[in-house]
Amino acid sequence: MEPKAYQAAFKDKDYDLAWGGWGADYPDPQNWMTGLFGCNASNNKYNYCNKQFDEAAARGDTGTDLNQRLQAYAQAQSILAQDVPVAPMFFRGRMVLVKPWVQNMVITAKDDYPGLSFLAQLFVTQH
């Protein structure tokens, strides 16, 4: 398909198999769950809907205890893995060389450059 027709078909969910992608907007499992795979999610272009998934993801979205949130998202992820609404082909990664005197560098998938999200925690020791 030409790109314009492909984009229209993808937007209208008029396909049997399509190529797409997603990158993190913020470093939390919620960004990969409810917004992409929830039955009524604005970014759900996959024609996927599972009420059990929605319930598990909603518990993660509204939880206040990190461990309980992560358990709820793990349950939602397990449901996704069983239903297989998408077939991940690859995910991007990057290799970063950090000098030993650079401490507390936290790298997230959403960083435009390594460590951007948590620069306030980074420090350089004497060397």
Side-chain angles (χ1 to χ4, degrees), residues 7 18 32 42 63 66 77 93-94 97 104 109 116 120:
Q7 290 300 323
W32 294 89
S42 59
L66 179 59
Q77 181 177 343
R94 66 174 78 159
L97 178 63
N104 285 359
L116 176 64

Side-chain angles (χ1 to χ4, degrees), residues 23-113:
D25 297 310
Y26 48 93
D28 188 273
Q30 192 278 333
N31 188 238
W32 294 89
M33 296 288 175
T34 311
L36 285 179
F37 299 106
C39 290
N40 297 313
S42 59
N43 287 314
N44 183 345
K45 307 291 191 250
Y46 316 108
N47 293 322
Y48 177 74
C49 183
N50 182 316
K51 296 296 183 188
Q52 290 177 322
F53 169 85
D54 281 2
E55 290 168 7
R59 284 195 310 278
D61 293 349
T62 58
T64 56
D65 178 82
L66 179 59
N67 287 330
Q68 290 176 351
R69 289 184 70 233
L70 294 177
Q71 288 174 0
Y73 287 133
Q75 182 183 6
Q77 181 177 343
S78 176
I79 293 166
L80 280 175
Q82 290 172 11
D83 290 349
V84 195
V86 296
M89 303 293 288
F90 68 92
F91 59 97
R92 283 182 263 170
R94 66 174 78 159
M95 303 210 24
V96 179
L97 178 63
V98 180
K99 295 289 188 178
W101 52 82
V102 177
Q103 300 290 306
N104 285 359
M105 177 177 270
V106 176
I107 300 170
T108 73
K110 74 174 202 79
D111 293 342
D112 289 331
Y113 60 86

Side-chain angles (χ1 to χ4, degrees), residues 6 9-10 13-21 45-46 85-87 89:
Y6 176 82
F10 190 76
K13 301 178 184 178
D14 182 23
Y15 59 82
D16 292 321
L17 183 65
W19 179 267
K45 307 291 191 250
Y46 316 108
V86 296
M89 303 293 288

